[in-house]
Amino acid sequence: MKPTTPFRKLTTTGLLLAGLTVFSSQQKAPEKGLKDYYKDYFPVGVAVSPAGLRGAEGELIKQQFNSITPENAMKMGPIHPEENRYEWKDADEIVKFAQDNKLRVRGHNLLWHEQTPRWLFKDDQGKQVSKEVLLKRLHDHIFTVVKRYKGKIYAWDVVNEAISDNPQEFLRNSEWYKICGEDFIAKAFEYAHEADPKAVLFYNDYNTERPEKRERIFKLLKKLKDAKVPIDAVGLQGHWSLQEPTEAELRQALDQYSSLGLKVQITELDVSIYPWEKDKREKRPGESDAYTPELEQKQAEQYRMFFKVFRDYKKVLTGVTFWNISDKYTWLDTYPVAGRKNYPLLFDQNQKPKKAYWEVVKF
């Protein structure tokens, strides 16, 4: 063990202080990680970028989590920016970190309406491609990415957010839908299963607990199951807040989705201190982004309730993943309100456990 002070003559006070330093560091037991508290329940994961794998955050990942998800590195735009060019560096770095530290990896994601490269939908003349061309491009993309990480990535978010935000519509009116109709969803799962038959394949979405959207998501999942599409699981993103979902809504959602024989994961968990908003906007004059003791307490109570439900559903839930490591950086700092600081995670801006953390592990 390295001495806490360099070897030199010390006064009595200095010796006493040095002794106290050694004593206190020896007495402080290493803290268990979330993965250890929940080892009899489900893996606990976190979304990462290569930058978050280093320094204090990298150490926190290794201490607390046993699963990671690339936040952006495997989305179609970043990993496949041009038809004949793939950018593997960031994704490879994340997978290597996982392998070096014996972490599971969730792949995220193979098909989405956002962060999709423009070339995908256009031909050489800039005109919209046919359904056949688009599905061929999707096939080639999925085969290339999934096969590269076969045996290293145990699960994939295959299709992300295909349900419309408009309650009057079923599927989102994306370019995927405009060109292919509903077929792109089943095809994506078929291609992914063919590329890696052992991978666990997810449909992933948000607001999965709101009753009207829950019914439409359930309708899609049931159609896929009835058609014998190789879908294994559903991801409830878990971008929640102090206001929602209620315990009843969360339990009802878990009951309804699992009734199809699908496994369930919470794939992108954070608990915003602000009410849900979808549309981007500017920060309003005088709009506070202070993390008050009252907000901290409400957040701790929400997290306590969520994880009590998760533990009750341990036979259904096969994983819980947080979306970012600590409040130092969260995607909610820029969305939906640019420049409004959010504090949605279990660790503060210095990677220290918050009140919510202790509520999650106190059972």
mmCIF file of all heavy atoms in Angstrom, residues 28-71:
data_model
loop_
_atom_site.group_PDB
_atom_site.id
_atom_site.type_symbol
_atom_site.label_atom_id
_atom_site.label_comp_id
_atom_site.label_asym_id
_atom_site.label_seq_id
_atom_site.Cartn_x
_atom_site.Cartn_y
_atom_site.Cartn_z
ATOM 1 N N LYS A 28 -12.746 2.636 5.775
ATOM 2 C CA LYS A 28 -13.813 2.872 4.796
ATOM 3 C C LYS A 28 -13.944 1.667 3.867
ATOM 4 O O LYS A 28 -13.103 1.421 3.012
ATOM 5 C CB LYS A 28 -13.530 4.130 3.971
ATOM 6 C CG LYS A 28 -14.708 4.535 3.086
ATOM 7 C CD LYS A 28 -14.418 5.821 2.364
ATOM 8 C CE LYS A 28 -15.604 6.209 1.505
ATOM 9 N NZ LYS A 28 -15.345 7.396 0.687
ATOM 10 N N ALA A 29 -15.010 0.904 4.051
ATOM 11 C CA ALA A 29 -15.221 -0.291 3.237
ATOM 12 C C ALA A 29 -15.578 0.115 1.816
ATOM 13 O O ALA A 29 -16.263 1.110 1.604
ATOM 14 C CB ALA A 29 -16.343 -1.128 3.833
ATOM 15 N N PRO A 30 -15.115 -0.639 0.826
ATOM 16 C CA PRO A 30 -15.483 -0.326 -0.543
ATOM 17 C C PRO A 30 -16.994 -0.472 -0.731
ATOM 18 O O PRO A 30 -17.604 -1.408 -0.203
ATOM 19 C CB PRO A 30 -14.723 -1.373 -1.373
ATOM 20 C CG PRO A 30 -14.341 -2.444 -0.415
ATOM 21 C CD PRO A 30 -14.240 -1.810 0.925
ATOM 22 N N GLU A 31 -17.550 0.491 -1.421
ATOM 23 C CA GLU A 31 -19.000 0.517 -1.628
ATOM 24 C C GLU A 31 -19.410 -0.543 -2.646
ATOM 25 O O GLU A 31 -18.746 -0.729 -3.649
ATOM 26 C CB GLU A 31 -19.372 1.903 -2.166
ATOM 27 C CG GLU A 31 -20.722 2.392 -1.745
ATOM 28 C CD GLU A 31 -20.903 3.839 -2.184
ATOM 29 O OE1 GLU A 31 -20.242 4.719 -1.598
ATOM 30 O OE2 GLU A 31 -21.663 4.055 -3.115
ATOM 31 N N LYS A 32 -20.522 -1.211 -2.390
ATOM 32 C CA LYS A 32 -21.044 -2.146 -3.385
ATOM 33 C C LYS A 32 -21.614 -1.360 -4.562
ATOM 34 O O LYS A 32 -21.972 -0.204 -4.420
ATOM 35 C CB LYS A 32 -22.172 -2.992 -2.778
ATOM 36 C CG LYS A 32 -21.700 -4.084 -1.848
ATOM 37 C CD LYS A 32 -22.732 -5.188 -1.708
ATOM 38 C CE LYS A 32 -24.026 -4.719 -1.100
ATOM 39 N NZ LYS A 32 -24.973 -5.855 -0.873
ATOM 40 N N GLY A 33 -21.673 -2.027 -5.697
ATOM 41 C CA GLY A 33 -22.262 -1.390 -6.860
ATOM 42 C C GLY A 33 -23.726 -1.751 -7.017
ATOM 43 O O GLY A 33 -24.221 -2.714 -6.402
ATOM 44 N N LEU A 34 -24.438 -1.014 -7.851
ATOM 45 C CA LEU A 34 -25.828 -1.346 -8.171
ATOM 46 C C LEU A 34 -25.936 -2.791 -8.645
ATOM 47 O O LEU A 34 -26.874 -3.509 -8.307
ATOM 48 C CB LEU A 34 -26.343 -0.397 -9.252
ATOM 49 C CG LEU A 34 -26.526 1.065 -8.843
ATOM 50 C CD1 LEU A 34 -26.643 1.944 -10.081
ATOM 51 C CD2 LEU A 34 -27.748 1.232 -7.953
ATOM 52 N N LYS A 35 -24.944 -3.193 -9.437
ATOM 53 C CA LYS A 35 -24.931 -4.570 -9.971
ATOM 54 C C LYS A 35 -24.873 -5.607 -8.852
ATOM 55 O O LYS A 35 -25.401 -6.716 -9.002
ATOM 56 C CB LYS A 35 -23.739 -4.759 -10.914
ATOM 57 C CG LYS A 35 -22.378 -4.544 -10.260
ATOM 58 C CD LYS A 35 -21.242 -4.687 -11.244
ATOM 59 C CE LYS A 35 -19.913 -4.233 -10.695
ATOM 60 N NZ LYS A 35 -19.486 -4.855 -9.437
ATOM 61 N N ASP A 36 -24.250 -5.258 -7.739
ATOM 62 C CA ASP A 36 -24.131 -6.179 -6.613
ATOM 63 C C ASP A 36 -25.428 -6.225 -5.794
ATOM 64 O O ASP A 36 -25.888 -7.295 -5.406
ATOM 65 C CB ASP A 36 -22.955 -5.775 -5.719
ATOM 66 C CG ASP A 36 -21.663 -5.662 -6.503
ATOM 67 O OD1 ASP A 36 -21.335 -6.628 -7.229
ATOM 68 O OD2 ASP A 36 -20.996 -4.614 -6.429
ATOM 69 N N TYR A 37 -26.009 -5.060 -5.545
ATOM 70 C CA TYR A 37 -27.282 -5.022 -4.832
ATOM 71 C C TYR A 37 -28.359 -5.803 -5.597
ATOM 72 O O TYR A 37 -29.223 -6.438 -4.991
ATOM 73 C CB TYR A 37 -27.747 -3.579 -4.648
ATOM 74 C CG TYR A 37 -26.988 -2.799 -3.610
ATOM 75 C CD1 TYR A 37 -26.047 -1.836 -3.976
ATOM 76 C CD2 TYR A 37 -27.223 -3.003 -2.247
ATOM 77 C CE1 TYR A 37 -25.361 -1.100 -3.013
ATOM 78 C CE2 TYR A 37 -26.541 -2.268 -1.283
ATOM 79 C CZ TYR A 37 -25.610 -1.322 -1.666
ATOM 80 O OH TYR A 37 -24.932 -0.605 -0.711
ATOM 81 N N TYR A 38 -28.295 -5.740 -6.935
ATOM 82 C CA TYR A 38 -29.351 -6.337 -7.764
ATOM 83 C C TYR A 38 -28.921 -7.647 -8.429
ATOM 84 O O TYR A 38 -29.563 -8.087 -9.380
ATOM 85 C CB TYR A 38 -29.838 -5.311 -8.797
ATOM 86 C CG TYR A 38 -30.797 -4.333 -8.159
ATOM 87 C CD1 TYR A 38 -30.329 -3.167 -7.556
ATOM 88 C CD2 TYR A 38 -32.154 -4.611 -8.100
ATOM 89 C CE1 TYR A 38 -31.200 -2.300 -6.916
ATOM 90 C CE2 TYR A 38 -33.040 -3.748 -7.471
ATOM 91 C CZ TYR A 38 -32.561 -2.593 -6.877
ATOM 92 O OH TYR A 38 -33.437 -1.752 -6.239
ATOM 93 N N LYS A 39 -27.891 -8.271 -7.905
ATOM 94 C CA LYS A 39 -27.364 -9.473 -8.565
ATOM 95 C C LYS A 39 -28.388 -10.606 -8.630
ATOM 96 O O LYS A 39 -28.336 -11.446 -9.527
ATOM 97 C CB LYS A 39 -26.066 -9.945 -7.898
ATOM 98 C CG LYS A 39 -26.213 -10.505 -6.487
ATOM 99 C CD LYS A 39 -24.853 -10.946 -5.953
ATOM 100 C CE LYS A 39 -24.960 -11.694 -4.636
ATOM 101 N NZ LYS A 39 -25.601 -10.929 -3.567
ATOM 102 N N ASP A 40 -29.326 -10.637 -7.688
ATOM 103 C CA ASP A 40 -30.355 -11.678 -7.696
ATOM 104 C C ASP A 40 -31.617 -11.239 -8.446
ATOM 105 O O ASP A 40 -32.631 -11.957 -8.420
ATOM 106 C CB ASP A 40 -30.724 -12.066 -6.258
ATOM 107 C CG ASP A 40 -29.550 -12.694 -5.523
ATOM 108 O OD1 ASP A 40 -28.721 -13.361 -6.177
ATOM 109 O OD2 ASP A 40 -29.452 -12.507 -4.293
ATOM 110 N N TYR A 41 -31.547 -10.092 -9.086
ATOM 111 C CA TYR A 41 -32.719 -9.552 -9.773
ATOM 112 C C TYR A 41 -32.505 -9.418 -11.275
ATOM 113 O O TYR A 41 -33.145 -10.092 -12.075
ATOM 114 C CB TYR A 41 -33.112 -8.200 -9.158
ATOM 115 C CG TYR A 41 -33.655 -8.331 -7.766
ATOM 116 C CD1 TYR A 41 -32.800 -8.332 -6.662
ATOM 117 C CD2 TYR A 41 -35.024 -8.470 -7.540
ATOM 118 C CE1 TYR A 41 -33.292 -8.473 -5.371
ATOM 119 C CE2 TYR A 41 -35.533 -8.604 -6.253
ATOM 120 C CZ TYR A 41 -34.663 -8.610 -5.164
ATOM 121 O OH TYR A 41 -35.149 -8.751 -3.903
ATOM 122 N N PHE A 42 -31.593 -8.540 -11.683
ATOM 123 C CA PHE A 42 -31.349 -8.284 -13.107
ATOM 124 C C PHE A 42 -30.049 -7.498 -13.249
ATOM 125 O O PHE A 42 -29.608 -6.843 -12.304
ATOM 126 C CB PHE A 42 -32.508 -7.499 -13.735
ATOM 127 C CG PHE A 42 -33.086 -6.425 -12.838
ATOM 128 C CD1 PHE A 42 -32.386 -5.254 -12.577
ATOM 129 C CD2 PHE A 42 -34.328 -6.602 -12.232
ATOM 130 C CE1 PHE A 42 -32.905 -4.280 -11.741
ATOM 131 C CE2 PHE A 42 -34.861 -5.627 -11.380
ATOM 132 C CZ PHE A 42 -34.147 -4.466 -11.145
ATOM 133 N N PRO A 43 -29.420 -7.566 -14.435
ATOM 134 C CA PRO A 43 -28.255 -6.721 -14.686
ATOM 135 C C PRO A 43 -28.651 -5.233 -14.645
ATOM 136 O O PRO A 43 -29.792 -4.882 -14.968
ATOM 137 C CB PRO A 43 -27.818 -7.120 -16.099
ATOM 138 C CG PRO A 43 -28.446 -8.442 -16.351
ATOM 139 C CD PRO A 43 -29.725 -8.454 -15.574
ATOM 140 N N VAL A 44 -27.707 -4.400 -14.233
ATOM 141 C CA VAL A 44 -27.932 -2.952 -14.209
ATOM 142 C C VAL A 44 -26.905 -2.311 -15.131
ATOM 143 O O VAL A 44 -25.693 -2.484 -14.956
ATOM 144 C CB VAL A 44 -27.818 -2.377 -12.788
ATOM 145 C CG1 VAL A 44 -28.120 -0.884 -12.799
ATOM 146 C CG2 VAL A 44 -28.775 -3.096 -11.830
ATOM 147 N N GLY A 45 -27.390 -1.589 -16.140
ATOM 148 C CA GLY A 45 -26.509 -1.054 -17.172
ATOM 149 C C GLY A 45 -26.534 0.454 -17.251
ATOM 150 O O GLY A 45 -27.265 1.144 -16.526
ATOM 151 N N VAL A 46 -25.727 0.971 -18.191
ATOM 152 C CA VAL A 46 -25.616 2.415 -18.376
ATOM 153 C C VAL A 46 -25.233 2.713 -19.817
ATOM 154 O O VAL A 46 -24.491 1.947 -20.449
ATOM 155 C CB VAL A 46 -24.572 3.009 -17.390
ATOM 156 C CG1 VAL A 46 -23.172 2.475 -17.663
ATOM 157 C CG2 VAL A 46 -24.594 4.536 -17.405
ATOM 158 N N ALA A 47 -25.760 3.811 -20.340
ATOM 159 C CA ALA A 47 -25.423 4.247 -21.699
ATOM 160 C C ALA A 47 -24.150 5.073 -21.673
ATOM 161 O O ALA A 47 -23.972 5.936 -20.805
ATOM 162 C CB ALA A 47 -26.563 5.084 -22.288
ATOM 163 N N VAL A 48 -23.257 4.803 -22.632
ATOM 164 C CA VAL A 48 -21.931 5.422 -22.605
ATOM 165 C C VAL A 48 -21.500 5.933 -23.975
ATOM 166 O O VAL A 48 -21.994 5.493 -25.006
ATOM 167 C CB VAL A 48 -20.867 4.410 -22.106
ATOM 168 C CG1 VAL A 48 -21.203 3.913 -20.721
ATOM 169 C CG2 VAL A 48 -20.723 3.237 -23.080
ATOM 170 N N SER A 49 -20.561 6.858 -23.922
ATOM 171 C CA SER A 49 -19.777 7.273 -25.092
ATOM 172 C C SER A 49 -18.331 6.924 -24.793
ATOM 173 O O SER A 49 -17.980 6.663 -23.633
ATOM 174 C CB SER A 49 -19.912 8.780 -25.306
ATOM 175 O OG SER A 49 -19.302 9.473 -24.214
ATOM 176 N N PRO A 50 -17.450 6.912 -25.795
ATOM 177 C CA PRO A 50 -16.041 6.615 -25.495
ATOM 178 C C PRO A 50 -15.443 7.536 -24.428
ATOM 179 O O PRO A 50 -14.667 7.084 -23.585
ATOM 180 C CB PRO A 50 -15.351 6.799 -26.851
ATOM 181 C CG PRO A 50 -16.403 6.453 -27.846
ATOM 182 C CD PRO A 50 -17.680 7.007 -27.252
ATOM 183 N N ALA A 51 -15.823 8.819 -24.445
ATOM 184 C CA ALA A 51 -15.265 9.764 -23.466
ATOM 185 C C ALA A 51 -15.618 9.359 -22.036
ATOM 186 O O ALA A 51 -14.840 9.574 -21.107
ATOM 187 C CB ALA A 51 -15.782 11.173 -23.750
ATOM 188 N N GLY A 52 -16.784 8.753 -21.847
ATOM 189 C CA GLY A 52 -17.217 8.371 -20.508
ATOM 190 C C GLY A 52 -16.558 7.115 -19.970
ATOM 191 O O GLY A 52 -16.792 6.734 -18.824
ATOM 192 N N LEU A 53 -15.728 6.473 -20.795
ATOM 193 C CA LEU A 53 -15.068 5.241 -20.347
ATOM 194 C C LEU A 53 -13.780 5.526 -19.592
ATOM 195 O O LEU A 53 -13.166 4.614 -19.049
ATOM 196 C CB LEU A 53 -14.748 4.358 -21.563
ATOM 197 C CG LEU A 53 -15.922 4.001 -22.475
ATOM 198 C CD1 LEU A 53 -15.441 3.174 -23.661
ATOM 199 C CD2 LEU A 53 -17.008 3.266 -21.707
ATOM 200 N N ARG A 54 -13.375 6.785 -19.562
ATOM 201 C CA ARG A 54 -12.083 7.136 -18.973
ATOM 202 C C ARG A 54 -12.272 7.895 -17.657
ATOM 203 O O ARG A 54 -13.341 8.428 -17.384
ATOM 204 C CB ARG A 54 -11.280 7.973 -19.970
ATOM 205 C CG ARG A 54 -10.956 7.207 -21.251
ATOM 206 C CD ARG A 54 -10.111 8.013 -22.220
ATOM 207 N NE ARG A 54 -10.911 8.805 -23.136
ATOM 208 C CZ ARG A 54 -11.480 8.346 -24.253
ATOM 209 N NH1 ARG A 54 -11.365 7.072 -24.569
ATOM 210 N NH2 ARG A 54 -12.169 9.146 -25.043
ATOM 211 N N GLY A 55 -11.218 7.952 -16.874
ATOM 212 C CA GLY A 55 -11.218 8.756 -15.654
ATOM 213 C C GLY A 55 -12.210 8.273 -14.614
ATOM 214 O O GLY A 55 -12.526 7.089 -14.523
ATOM 215 N N ALA A 56 -12.742 9.228 -13.849
ATOM 216 C CA ALA A 56 -13.627 8.897 -12.736
ATOM 217 C C ALA A 56 -14.892 8.190 -13.210
ATOM 218 O O ALA A 56 -15.394 7.274 -12.550
ATOM 219 C CB ALA A 56 -13.990 10.173 -11.974
ATOM 220 N N GLU A 57 -15.399 8.607 -14.367
ATOM 221 C CA GLU A 57 -16.625 7.979 -14.868
ATOM 222 C C GLU A 57 -16.377 6.525 -15.284
ATOM 223 O O GLU A 57 -17.207 5.651 -15.034
ATOM 224 C CB GLU A 57 -17.192 8.788 -16.027
ATOM 225 C CG GLU A 57 -17.821 10.090 -15.564
ATOM 226 C CD GLU A 57 -18.345 10.926 -16.720
ATOM 227 O OE1 GLU A 57 -17.575 11.198 -17.653
ATOM 228 O OE2 GLU A 57 -19.526 11.291 -16.673
ATOM 229 N N GLY A 58 -15.238 6.280 -15.889
ATOM 230 C CA GLY A 58 -14.901 4.914 -16.252
ATOM 231 C C GLY A 58 -14.812 4.015 -15.025
ATOM 232 O O GLY A 58 -15.274 2.869 -15.040
ATOM 233 N N GLU A 59 -14.230 4.543 -13.945
ATOM 234 C CA GLU A 59 -14.139 3.777 -12.701
ATOM 235 C C GLU A 59 -15.528 3.532 -12.104
ATOM 236 O O GLU A 59 -15.817 2.464 -11.573
ATOM 237 C CB GLU A 59 -13.251 4.512 -11.686
ATOM 238 C CG GLU A 59 -11.782 4.556 -12.082
ATOM 239 C CD GLU A 59 -11.204 3.176 -12.385
ATOM 240 O OE1 GLU A 59 -11.384 2.264 -11.545
ATOM 241 O OE2 GLU A 59 -10.602 2.994 -13.463
ATOM 242 N N LEU A 60 -16.383 4.555 -12.218
ATOM 243 C CA LEU A 60 -17.747 4.409 -11.697
ATOM 244 C C LEU A 60 -18.508 3.330 -12.467
ATOM 245 O O LEU A 60 -19.233 2.525 -11.868
ATOM 246 C CB LEU A 60 -18.484 5.750 -11.804
ATOM 247 C CG LEU A 60 -19.856 5.815 -11.135
ATOM 248 C CD1 LEU A 60 -19.738 5.692 -9.625
ATOM 249 C CD2 LEU A 60 -20.576 7.112 -11.507
ATOM 250 N N ILE A 61 -18.328 3.292 -13.782
ATOM 251 C CA ILE A 61 -18.981 2.252 -14.593
ATOM 252 C C ILE A 61 -18.562 0.867 -14.093
ATOM 253 O O ILE A 61 -19.404 -0.008 -13.853
ATOM 254 C CB ILE A 61 -18.615 2.400 -16.081
ATOM 255 C CG1 ILE A 61 -19.226 3.672 -16.658
ATOM 256 C CG2 ILE A 61 -19.102 1.189 -16.879
ATOM 257 C CD1 ILE A 61 -18.683 4.033 -18.041
ATOM 258 N N LYS A 62 -17.271 0.680 -13.916
ATOM 259 C CA LYS A 62 -16.768 -0.635 -13.504
ATOM 260 C C LYS A 62 -17.247 -1.011 -12.109
ATOM 261 O O LYS A 62 -17.498 -2.180 -11.827
ATOM 262 C CB LYS A 62 -15.236 -0.651 -13.575
ATOM 263 C CG LYS A 62 -14.700 -0.636 -15.000
ATOM 264 C CD LYS A 62 -13.195 -0.767 -15.059
ATOM 265 C CE LYS A 62 -12.480 0.540 -14.860
ATOM 266 N NZ LYS A 62 -11.018 0.438 -15.107
ATOM 267 N N GLN A 63 -17.386 -0.009 -11.255
ATOM 268 C CA GLN A 63 -17.797 -0.286 -9.877
ATOM 269 C C GLN A 63 -19.290 -0.587 -9.776
ATOM 270 O O GLN A 63 -19.709 -1.451 -9.005
ATOM 271 C CB GLN A 63 -17.483 0.928 -9.000
ATOM 272 C CG GLN A 63 -17.858 0.733 -7.539
ATOM 273 C CD GLN A 63 -17.919 2.043 -6.788
ATOM 274 O OE1 GLN A 63 -18.496 3.027 -7.251
ATOM 275 N NE2 GLN A 63 -17.302 2.073 -5.615
ATOM 276 N N GLN A 64 -20.111 0.129 -10.566
ATOM 277 C CA GLN A 64 -21.554 0.105 -10.344
ATOM 278 C C GLN A 64 -22.351 -0.773 -11.307
ATOM 279 O O GLN A 64 -23.423 -1.253 -10.954
ATOM 280 C CB GLN A 64 -22.103 1.544 -10.435
ATOM 281 C CG GLN A 64 -21.600 2.466 -9.346
ATOM 282 C CD GLN A 64 -22.194 2.130 -7.985
ATOM 283 O OE1 GLN A 64 -23.300 1.605 -7.883
ATOM 284 N NE2 GLN A 64 -21.444 2.431 -6.933
ATOM 285 N N PHE A 65 -21.868 -0.966 -12.540
ATOM 286 C CA PHE A 65 -22.697 -1.550 -13.594
ATOM 287 C C PHE A 65 -22.098 -2.838 -14.154
ATOM 288 O O PHE A 65 -20.887 -3.048 -14.090
ATOM 289 C CB PHE A 65 -22.887 -0.535 -14.726
ATOM 290 C CG PHE A 65 -23.480 0.776 -14.264
ATOM 291 C CD1 PHE A 65 -22.673 1.898 -14.066
ATOM 292 C CD2 PHE A 65 -24.841 0.881 -14.014
ATOM 293 C CE1 PHE A 65 -23.219 3.106 -13.628
ATOM 294 C CE2 PHE A 65 -25.396 2.086 -13.578
ATOM 295 C CZ PHE A 65 -24.584 3.197 -13.383
ATOM 296 N N ASN A 66 -22.956 -3.685 -14.718
ATOM 297 C CA ASN A 66 -22.449 -4.881 -15.391
ATOM 298 C C ASN A 66 -22.986 -5.015 -16.818
ATOM 299 O O ASN A 66 -22.931 -6.083 -17.419
ATOM 300 C CB ASN A 66 -22.723 -6.151 -14.573
ATOM 301 C CG ASN A 66 -24.173 -6.290 -14.148
ATOM 302 O OD1 ASN A 66 -25.028 -5.520 -14.564
ATOM 303 N ND2 ASN A 66 -24.439 -7.272 -13.299
ATOM 304 N N SER A 67 -23.478 -3.915 -17.357
ATOM 305 C CA SER A 67 -23.956 -3.887 -18.735
ATOM 306 C C SER A 67 -23.789 -2.469 -19.264
ATOM 307 O O SER A 67 -23.927 -1.502 -18.503
ATOM 308 C CB SER A 67 -25.431 -4.293 -18.781
ATOM 309 O OG SER A 67 -25.972 -4.133 -20.073
ATOM 310 N N ILE A 68 -23.474 -2.335 -20.553
ATOM 311 C CA ILE A 68 -23.398 -0.993 -21.152
ATOM 312 C C ILE A 68 -24.115 -0.983 -22.502
ATOM 313 O O ILE A 68 -24.239 -2.007 -23.172
ATOM 314 C CB ILE A 68 -21.954 -0.469 -21.305
ATOM 315 C CG1 ILE A 68 -21.099 -1.408 -22.155
ATOM 316 C CG2 ILE A 68 -21.317 -0.197 -19.964
ATOM 317 C CD1 ILE A 68 -19.689 -0.851 -22.410
ATOM 318 N N THR A 69 -24.582 0.203 -22.855
ATOM 319 C CA THR A 69 -25.224 0.465 -24.143
ATOM 320 C C THR A 69 -24.507 1.653 -24.778
ATOM 321 O O THR A 69 -24.320 2.667 -24.109
ATOM 322 C CB THR A 69 -26.707 0.842 -23.955
ATOM 323 O OG1 THR A 69 -27.388 -0.195 -23.268
ATOM 324 C CG2 THR A 69 -27.373 1.093 -25.297
ATOM 325 N N PRO A 70 -24.098 1.566 -26.050
ATOM 326 C CA PRO A 70 -23.556 2.754 -26.714
ATOM 327 C C PRO A 70 -24.678 3.792 -26.871
ATOM 328 O O PRO A 70 -25.720 3.488 -27.455
ATOM 329 C CB PRO A 70 -23.101 2.239 -28.076
ATOM 330 C CG PRO A 70 -23.097 0.745 -27.967
ATOM 331 C CD PRO A 70 -24.112 0.397 -26.940
ATOM 332 N N GLU A 71 -24.447 4.982 -26.341
ATOM 333 C CA GLU A 71 -25.492 6.014 -26.426
ATOM 334 C C GLU A 71 -25.757 6.410 -27.876
ATOM 335 O O GLU A 71 -26.907 6.512 -28.306
ATOM 336 C CB GLU A 71 -25.092 7.247 -25.617
ATOM 337 C CG GLU A 71 -26.159 8.323 -25.631
ATOM 338 C CD GLU A 71 -25.756 9.590 -24.897
ATOM 339 O OE1 GLU A 71 -24.568 9.735 -24.533
ATOM 340 O OE2 GLU A 71 -26.640 10.447 -24.691
#
